[in-house]
Each structure stands twice: as structure tokens, then as C-alpha cells.
Amino acid sequence: MAVPIAVLDCDLLLYGRGHRTLDRFKLEDVTDEYLVSTYGFPRQFIYYLVDLLGASLSRPTQRSRAISPETQILAALGFYTSGSFQTRMGDTIGISQASMSRCVANVTEALVERASQFIHFPEDEATVQTLKDDFYALAGMPGVLGVVDCTHVSIKAPNAEDLSYVNRKGLHSLNCLMVCDARGALLSAETHWPGSLPDCAVLQQAALTSQFENKLHKDGWLLGDSSFFLQTWLMTPLHIPETPAEYRYNMAHSATHNVIERTFRTIRSRFRCLDGSKGTLQYSPEKSSHIILACCVLHNISLEHGLDVWSSSATGHMEQPEEEYEQMESMDSEACRIRQELLLTHFS
């Protein structure tokens, strides 16, 4: 007599048939306050992500009980915003730790696939002009297309113990190059650079530099701090201002560039997996880079949905190595001429 063989579901074994999971009740059953406190975002935002990512998260599976896109998204948001695979989070959603990990991987991949849809420079002239006008309204700095800077995110030591990821503080990290607009929305995000690279070396090798040197973005420039070299498309502060015009230029530059520092603080505050308060990202550099980029995509989507970029103050202690650099003054005579013309035209 043949004995039937049961296919066991690990989540079913862990939680039993009576365990209440988010696959078994609708989001309408919980309050917005609960969703925001547990997953970091309100109901309509989560519905939008389900519509956006649902097809990618509904891939064929051999499992007897596939996890719904809705539950996968909630699991990933719980990790991104809390910074840890807490047992409580798995209990809340009704899935195992292993399933939590799979959900985060699936949602991260789906968001990274859509990064270029949400993180990009504007192309039409009207939007570019609006971008410049928004920056000019901050502190009177003209022609600004974005502000650029780097930020470090701590990761676990790679299996190969690759020293290229050891930053100036002796910690393993990724050095992430980002550009934002006056609202704090990201226009570019390169999250894969090893932590040992100084900011100027990251920018030198970045796709962002190729874009500007190939004139893909015309009639304007980025603002960068003194860790970068002055370029025809990148205005940096003067090392030792002497004239009133130079002081006014530096003050306007600093006030405008501060937008990206506030953006970094907001991203770290919103996505606690990046701020170091729960430890380093426990993934390979490649997977960690994808998680950072996924959070960047969510940051921009949240802005599109009216979630205020400055609404929450920064917490946590994401490791940020102090840069030890000499003043990066350019020998590019054309870049110096452009900055001098800017001083004479707008700050004299």
C-alpha cells in the first residue's frame, strides 16, 4: 500500500494553520498609525508599491503556499525601516526568518530594476529650468542642476577580506555618490564604490562624470564641497575667500549644498538599516549596494507621494569617516574662468 508523502511548508510548521498572517486579512483591517509605526509608510503608499512591484513579486513558485506581493513588500519595508530581521517582525507578518530574508531580496531586486525610472536628471527644458529656479530660491546660486556628495554605509567584512572596502576609520563600508535637487529628491545614486576610495576618486570614476563631460547636461553645473576638484560642470567653494564677492559666493554655495546633507540625514532616519544603529549590513558588497539603492528609490517615491523629506530628524549613528583631504583646487583654467565669471556676474 502506497504511503502518501506530505510536502511540508516551513512557515506552516513554525506558525500553524491558526496563525494570523497578513495574507489572511486586508490592510483596511489596521490603522495608518499602525502601518507607519511598524512598516514606516501609510496605506496608500503600500498600495502603490503593490501595484508597482506586484508582477515582479508574483513569479511562479514550487512552494505550496506562495507569499503574496503585499506580504513581501511589508516584510521588506519592515527591514528597511527597522534595520533588523526581528522575530517580532516575522511574527507580525506571519512568516519565518528565512522567508523574511527571501522577501527582502525579492523586493530589493524589484526596486533596483526600476531605479532609472525614479532616479534621473530631468530632460525637458521646462523641468530643467524649474530645477535651477528651485536652487536659486534657496540662496541665490544660479545655474545649479544638483548638489553632489558622498556618504558611507557600513557593511560586514567581505568573505575575501577585501581591503578596498576598509575606510579611513578602519571600518568596512561602501562609499555612495549621490546628487539631489532642491527638494531632496535624488537625481543620481551610485552605491557600489568601495569605502577605501576618497570622494574625489569616486567622482573621477563615476558614471556621473561621464554624463557631464559628454555634455548630456548642458547650461548648468553641480555644486560639490572641497573634497572635489573644481570642474567646468562642478563648482566648489573657494579655499581662502578674500573679497566680499568671494565670501558671498561661499555662503551661497554652503547654504545650497547643505540640501544634500539634510537629504542624507533624512534617508538614514527613514531607513534604519543604513544608519548603523542595528549594526552593519550583513550582506556582500553587491547585495548591500542593492539594498542602499532600493532605499534611494523608495526615498524618491515617497517624495512623489508627498511624504515630507524633512519631516523626521536624524537618529542613529551611521558611520561616516571624516575625510582627510587637502583642498582640491583645479588646474583647469576654463573651470577657474567660469567660477570667476560667476563671482563677477552674480556676487559682486
Side-chain angles (χ1 to χ4, degrees):
M1 177 177 177
V3 179
I5 299 175
V7 178
L8 300 179
D9 186 313
C10 63
D11 290 336
L12 195 60
L13 287 173
L14 283 169
Y15 296 109
R17 294 188 180 276
H19 188 81
R20 188 171 186 247
T21 76
L22 285 177
D23 277 326
R24 299 182 183 181
F25 69 89
K26 297 184 179 300
L27 286 174
E28 288 84 350
D29 294 339
V30 294
T31 65
D32 259 357
E33 289 75 13
Y34 170 80
L35 291 173
V36 171
S37 66
T38 307
Y39 306 105
F41 294 97
R43 185 187 329 278
Q44 292 305 316
F45 184 87
I46 296 170
Y47 281 145
Y48 174 82
L49 292 181
V50 172
D51 290 339
L52 177 69
L53 308 178
S56 298
L57 301 177
S58 300
R59 295 166 179 146
T61 177
Q62 298 300 315
R63 300 183 67 214
S64 60
R65 199 177 58 149
I67 301 175
S68 71
E70 182 178 282
T71 299
Q72 292 184 62
I73 288 168
L74 289 169
L77 291 178
F79 166 69
Y80 297 147
T81 58
S82 72
S84 62
F85 289 113
Q86 299 177 31
T87 301
R88 178 183 62 80
M89 185 62 66
D91 289 344
T92 299
I93 300 174
I95 60 176
S96 67
Q97 186 75 24
S99 293
M100 275 283 296
S101 183
R102 287 194 298 271
C103 290
V104 171
N106 291 343
V107 174
T108 297
E109 179 182 351
L111 288 167
V112 168
E113 288 173 354
R114 292 160 177 80
S116 61
Q117 178 182 346
F118 294 99
I119 302 175
H120 57 81
F121 282 89
E123 296 180 358
D124 63 282
E125 292 184 9
T127 308
V128 170
Q129 188 57 51
T130 299
L131 184 65
K132 294 179 182 179
D133 292 344
D134 289 344
F135 274 119
Y136 187 79
L138 293 179
M141 181 69 76
V144 180
L145 297 172
V147 289
V148 60
D149 208 347
C150 289
T151 188
H152 285 254
V153 176
S154 295
I155 62 172
K156 74 171 184 178
N159 291 334
E161 284 296 327
D162 190 341
L163 295 180
S164 68
Y165 291 94
V166 179
N167 61 39
R168 291 182 181 275
K169 286 191 172 182
L171 303 170
H172 292 84
S173 69
L174 291 168
N175 196 3
C176 305
L177 178 73
M178 300 186 193
V179 180
C180 75
D181 67 13
R183 298 181 307 129
L186 296 172
L187 305 174
S188 178
E190 299 185 34
T191 60
H192 62 284
W193 297 103
S196 66
L197 287 179
D199 293 359
C200 61
V202 169
L203 183 62
Q204 185 177 17
Q205 301 175 51
L208 178 69
T209 295
S210 297
Q211 292 176 21
F212 276 86
E213 290 185 346
N214 292 328
K215 309 297 183 183
L216 295 183
H217 309 292
K218 301 178 182 179
D219 302 323
W221 41 70
L222 302 178
L223 295 188
D225 64 19
S226 297
S227 62
F228 300 117
F229 286 107
L230 178 70
Q231 308 275 358
T232 57
W233 49 269
L234 177 64
M235 294 293 103
T236 60
L238 289 138
H239 181 34
I240 304 176
E242 296 177 346
T243 68
E246 290 175 345
Y247 276 103
R248 284 192 289 269
Y249 167 85
N250 271 13
M251 290 178 64
H253 187 292
S254 177
T256 307
H257 189 267
N258 186 53
V259 171
I260 198 163
E261 298 300 332
R262 296 171 67 191
T263 300
F264 287 158
R265 291 195 297 269
T266 299
I267 292 173
R268 292 196 294 268
S269 178
R270 180 169 282 161
F271 303 106
R272 301 295 298 278
C273 68
L274 308 181
D275 77 349
S277 63
K278 301 292 184 179
T280 61
L281 285 175
Q282 297 297 301
Y283 300 92
S284 67
E286 180 181 9
K287 289 184 178 179
S288 295
S289 170
H290 286 179
I291 288 172
I292 300 165
L293 185 55
C295 290
C296 290
V297 173
L298 287 172
H299 169 77
N300 274 14
I301 296 175
S302 70
L303 285 182
E304 288 187 5
H305 283 72
L307 301 180
D308 187 1
V309 68
W310 315 127
S311 61
S312 54
S313 58
T315 55
H317 55 279
M318 189 175 87
E319 295 293 348
Q320 187 70 267
E322 296 179 5
E323 291 287 352
E324 298 175 8
Y325 54 78
E326 295 181 4
Q327 181 72 18
M328 300 297 184
E329 278 297 342
S330 176
M331 300 304 292
D332 186 334
S333 60
E334 179 63 11
C336 293
R337 184 194 67 77
I338 290 174
R339 185 169 66 179
Q340 188 62 29
E341 184 178 321
L342 180 59
L343 280 163
L344 294 174
T345 304
H346 293 278
F347 296 98
S348 293

